[in-house]
Amino acid sequence: MIHRIMVGHMLGDGHIAKTDRGNSYFTIHRKAEHHEYNLWTKKILLDNGFTVTNTYPKLRQSCGCNNFPSSYLRTSRERFWSEQRSLWYKDGQKILPRKYVEKNFDNLSFMLWFLDDGDSDGRISTDSFSKKDVIFLRDLINRRYKIRFNIHYQHSRPQHNILKCPKKKRGELSAIFQSLSISIPCMSYKLNWT
């Protein structure tokens, strides 16, 4: 199960931090209003044998130019995270480990990715990935679910691709996510299709 979770969160908001010495750790930074989602992720990680201290997730102001109230989740350093880091990063940049994603992409990973980077218009942001990777993800979804997302661009950032579910297919997309019976109320707004 942890590999499916990793695919979902690493396609989305997840990050694996490199350390100078020792093992890496997994982290997610979200808006403070999504703190409940970080609590849910913490529970899943704990249920799968990973260590997350009682101090996480924590609420605090984010750093940098976009300063806003945030929820931070961080695991302990473990060998698993170092192994994942070697899959998901090359020269410090996030990449798409296609074979790993293809092997572990299912309803759960799809829903977590959507909750991380999707919206109520059926769009999924794919900022971290190249156009070829976005095409790969679009085709993977189409092969698995017979839903062909369209590729669009963000108006303000044309170099960033967006996958968009056609309106006529949003009922099928919703059924995929509802089949999991997972409830994270703070994220439900993303599944209220418009």
Side-chain angles (χ1 to χ4, degrees):
M1 181 177 191
I2 190 63
H3 296 285
R4 296 158 49 213
I5 292 166
M6 286 309 301
V7 166
H9 282 321
M10 290 302 292
L11 288 175
D13 294 333
H15 173 70
I16 301 169
K18 182 181 180 182
T19 58
D20 291 334
R21 288 183 296 175
N23 288 313
S24 297
Y25 60 88
F26 175 70
T27 183
I28 298 181
H29 168 216
R30 304 185 192 286
K31 295 177 184 175
E33 55 261 32
H34 297 162
H35 187 66
E36 179 183 37
Y37 188 17
N38 270 347
L39 289 169
W40 180 89
T41 301
K42 176 181 180 174
K43 182 181 182 321
I44 291 294
L45 291 170
L46 291 172
D47 289 349
N48 281 273
F50 292 93
T51 305
V52 182
T53 65
N54 288 335
T55 58
Y56 285 98
K58 62 173 70 172
L59 292 167
R60 67 180 191 202
Q61 284 296 116
S62 64
C63 301
C65 61
N66 295 322
N67 194 348
F68 56 90
S70 301
S71 174
Y72 288 89
L73 174 68
R74 178 187 160 172
T75 67
S76 295
R77 297 176 186 195
E78 298 182 43
R79 183 179 180 141
F80 176 80
W81 303 121
S82 294
E83 292 166 353
Q84 286 289 308
R85 170 101 188 163
S86 69
L87 274 175
W88 288 94
Y89 293 85
K90 182 177 182 181
D91 300 325
Q93 295 291 318
K94 190 187 260 190
I95 61 169
L96 187 71
R98 293 184 182 192
K99 289 181 181 178
Y100 180 78
V101 169
E102 192 162 22
K103 179 180 178 182
N104 295 290
F105 189 82
D106 69 353
N107 294 12
L108 177 61
S109 50
F110 194 9
M111 186 183 93
L112 294 177
W113 178 31
F114 192 86
L115 292 180
D116 280 9
D117 283 342
D119 69 17
S120 60
D121 286 326
R123 296 177 297 198
I124 305 172
S125 179
T126 61
D127 290 3
S128 295
F129 303 113
S130 70
K131 177 82 179 271
K132 288 181 180 179
D133 288 339
V134 173
I135 291 168
F136 169 83
L137 291 167
R138 179 201 62 192
D139 293 347
L140 177 62
I141 295 167
N142 192 35
R143 283 195 309 275
R144 296 275 163 92
Y145 301 106
K146 305 295 185 232
I147 300 173
R148 185 175 172 85
F149 278 64
N150 299 309
I151 298 176
H152 293 266
Y153 307 95
Q154 292 184 18
H155 297 295
S156 59
R157 301 188 306 171
Q159 71 275 22
H160 293 288
N161 300 297
I162 296 173
L163 289 172
K164 185 168 183 179
C165 182
K167 274 191 174 183
K168 64 183 179 182
K169 291 287 190 174
R170 290 190 197 160
E172 293 172 42
L173 184 61
S174 181
I176 293 164
F177 300 151
Q178 289 174 1
S179 72
L180 297 165
S181 300
I182 292 173
S183 176
I184 308 170
C186 73
M187 303 306 291
S188 63
Y189 73 96
K190 290 195 174 191
L191 304 177
N192 293 328
W193 309 111
T194 57

